[in-house]
Structure formats: C-alpha cells, structure tokens
C-alpha cells in the first residue's frame, strides 16, 4: 500500500503527473494506454480484475502494485498519479474534490442492500442499545473519513446527539480482518462489519446488530471508481474501455448466480499466486451496486454533499454534484 505522510496534496500531484500508465502509439479509436496500475484487496476480487478475467478489458491490462484497505488512500493515490484509478466511498470522493483534486467518478462499484450492508455489531451481553449509549465508547472502523464513519455519525445525529457529544464517540482504525477479534476481546465496544467478514462473524454467534446502514438510507450505491481529469483528457479511448469493462463486469454479477461469481473469483485468486485465503469469498452474496452496470445516480453524491455541509466539513456551493461524476462512458447509462 502506498503511504503519504503529511505531504501537501499539490506536491504529491506534481510528483505524480509523469506516471500515467504504459502508453502505446494507438490506432484511431484504440486505447492510448495499454496498462493500468492499481491497488487490490487481499482475498477479494475487484471489478477491474473481474473485467480483465472475463475478457472485457482487452487489450488493456492491469498492473497490480499492492493492496490497500483504505478508499481515501486509494483515490489519493490515483489523484497524485501513483496509480491510474482508485475507488472509494462517494463522501470521500467529495472531500478530495473539495480539496481541488482533479478527479471524476466514472462508475459505481459497491453499495448496500439486504445482502451486502454495513452492520455495527456489539456482543450479545453489551449494555449498548442505542445512539446515546455510544458516548465514550470505541467503534472499530477500517479507515477514517469514509463510509463507516459517515454512516455512524448520521446514526448519532438522528439519535439526537449534539456535535460535542458525537466528538466523544471514539473511532478506532482496525484492519477489517481483525475487527471481529478486537470486538470479542473487548478492545473495542462496537465493530463495523460488512460482506463476508460480517457473515463469518454472525456464523460464529455471540454478537448482535446495533444498526445497519440500510436502516438509515435504504439500498444505495456507496462508492465509485475515479479517474483524474488529466487521465481522461489524455486517454479518452482507454477511459471508455475501462469504464465499459467495469460496467459490464458489474452487470455480469447482477445477472449471474452467486455460485458462478464465487467460482470465478476463486479461480482468479488462485491464478494470481498471492498466497491468499479464498475462504471468505465463498460467502460473497452481492456487490450491493444499485444501478445497472454501476450507473451513478446523482442522489448517491448529493446525499453526502448535504451531510458534509451539515457536518461543517465542506462549505455550501464548494462542490457541485454534476461536477463530481459522469455516466458518459457507461454503456448502461445516459450522459452526465
């Protein structure tokens, strides 16, 4: 995982401008760049990886440079040219765009529904029953400034906590693979879990859901892949190929059975030889993406713009929804 230690964004951007993937002398309409650098996830298959395996991305190839557990870090890496694309919670994309990062969301890739949701869990014997019980407690999340933090703070706000009281709820960054153990050992009071890690924890029993993100927002696409404005301008054909491929991969999971996805994902993980455990992939249920092929709904950004404004993290008018994303390259979406 690429790390940034208090380096100003503009400095990182300047350093990264030279890196923009392997370029080719392309024929008209052919991809300008034939290699896309990216960060993956341990024991999981990203949509670009699935797209490549399904043959949708050819002749463009992916170049894995490491793994990450942080969406904000992933899109910062893309914004500064360390990678060619990254994905994160839409709220994190808004915050980076508000900091003048030249990025644009191009396709949705994860979300929450009845099968794929973020749950906030406590031990069965915990006295925590509602929002006010979280004052002075520790909540384990995978990273700060992203989906898990935003949902938690909205839950607290709706529960009547004041801004000062919300500050007394402590967020603790814990690697997702260790979050359940931290909860059971008493290192944290609440564990935010999703996907297969949530399902395996529930299978072991002894925990209960305090609340879920879908309790607050219903089903929704929560995160998107981003490209930089510079990359899009320099590589319009590669951009089109990448977005089309990812969109088709998203649609493939929406129209194929869970068993087909699991078998395909296990094979992809085995072929890449990164010494990963495929046990968790067996429990995959859905990506939670709401729109066909990851088409982005403006509301999936507007809701977080409104939330960030209420929280005082961005100013009214600082970012506009229509400037944050485009569906122009998505074969399942219209212009925008």
């Amino acid at each position: 995982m690429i790390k940034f230690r208090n380096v100003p964004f503009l400095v990182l951007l300047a350093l990264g401008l030279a890196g923009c993937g392997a370029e080719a002398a392309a024929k008209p309409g052919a991809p300008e760049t034939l290699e896309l650098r990216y960060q993956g996830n341990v024991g999981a298959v990203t949509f670009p990886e699935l797209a490549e395996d399904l043959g949708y991305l050819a002749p463009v190839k992916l170049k894995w440079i490491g793994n990450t557990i942080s969406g904000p870090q992933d899109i910062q890496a893309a914004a500064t040219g360390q990678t060619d694309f990254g994905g994160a919670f839409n709220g994190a994309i808004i915050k980076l765009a508000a900091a003048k990062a030249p990025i644009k969301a191009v396709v949705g890739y994860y979300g929450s529904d009845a099968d794929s949701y973020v749950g906030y869990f406590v031990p069965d014997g915990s006295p925590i029953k509602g929002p006010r019980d979280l004052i002075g407690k520790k909540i384990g999340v995978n990273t700060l400034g992203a989906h898990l933090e935003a949902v938690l703070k909205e839950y607290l706000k709706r529960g009547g906590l004041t801004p000062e009281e919300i500050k007394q709820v402590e967020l603790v960054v814990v690697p997702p693979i260790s979050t359940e153990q931290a909860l059971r050992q008493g290192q944290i009071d609440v564990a935010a879990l999703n996907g297969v890690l949530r399902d395996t924890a529930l299978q072991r029993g002894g925990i209960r859901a305090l609340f879920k993100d879908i309790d607050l927002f219903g089903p929704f696409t929560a995160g998107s892949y981003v490209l930089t404005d510079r990359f899009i301008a320099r590589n319009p054909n590669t951009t089109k190929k990448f977005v089309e491929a990812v969109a088709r991969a998203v649609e493939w999971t929406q129209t194929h059975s869970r068993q087909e996805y699991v078998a395909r994902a296990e094979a992809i993980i085995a072929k890449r030889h990164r010494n990963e455990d495929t046990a968790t992939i067996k429990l995959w249920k859905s990506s939670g993406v709401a729109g066909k092929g990851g088409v982005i709904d403006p509301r999936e950004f507007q809701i977080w713009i409104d939330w960030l404004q209420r929280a005082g993290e961005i100013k009214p008018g600082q970012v506009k929804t229509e400037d944050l994303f485009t569906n122009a390259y998505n074969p399942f979406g219209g212009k925008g």
Side-chain angles (χ1 to χ4, degrees), residues 282-303:
K282 298 180 190 298
L283 295 173
W284 183 91
K285 293 181 179 178
S286 85
S287 67
V289 176
K292 182 178 181 180
V295 171
I296 298 170
D297 187 320
R299 293 173 296 180
E300 293 161 355
F301 277 93
Q302 189 61 52
I303 186 175

Side-chain angles (χ1 to χ4, degrees), residues 162-193:
T162 66
E164 286 303 313
E165 289 173 327
I166 290 175
K167 290 179 183 178
Q168 296 175 50
V169 179
E170 183 180 355
L171 293 171
V172 179
V173 175
V174 184
I177 197 70
S178 304
T179 307
E180 178 194 352
Q181 182 181 9
L183 177 68
R184 295 186 187 278
Q185 293 181 345
Q187 297 170 0
I188 55 178
D189 301 292
V190 181
L193 298 168

Side-chain angles (χ1 to χ4, degrees), residues 291-318:
K292 182 178 181 180
V295 171
I296 298 170
D297 187 320
R299 293 173 296 180
E300 293 161 355
F301 277 93
Q302 189 61 52
I303 186 175
W304 302 114
I305 290 176
D306 295 342
W307 181 83
L308 289 166
Q309 287 178 358
R310 290 196 304 269
E313 296 193 42
I314 63 173
K315 298 176 182 178
Q318 189 173 351

Side-chain angles (χ1 to χ4, degrees), residues 220-289:
F220 66 104
T221 297
S224 307
Y225 285 119
V226 303
L227 299 171
T228 64
D229 295 339
R230 180 187 177 92
F231 182 93
I232 293 171
R234 284 189 163 191
N235 304 280
N237 296 329
T238 301
T239 297
K240 184 173 184 290
K241 169 60 72 173
F242 171 76
V243 177
E244 285 184 349
V246 172
R248 291 177 65 192
V250 172
E251 194 266 347
W252 187 91
T253 66
Q254 293 171 329
T255 56
H256 287 69
S257 69
R258 189 191 75 83
Q259 291 79 6
E260 287 177 284
Y261 172 82
V262 169
R264 192 106 196 181
E266 287 182 319
I268 292 171
I269 291 172
K271 285 188 291 187
R272 66 195 188 193
H273 304 297
R274 298 180 195 164
N275 193 30
E276 299 165 280
D277 186 356
T278 62
T280 56
I281 215 73
K282 298 180 190 298
L283 295 173
W284 183 91
K285 293 181 179 178
S286 85
S287 67
V289 176

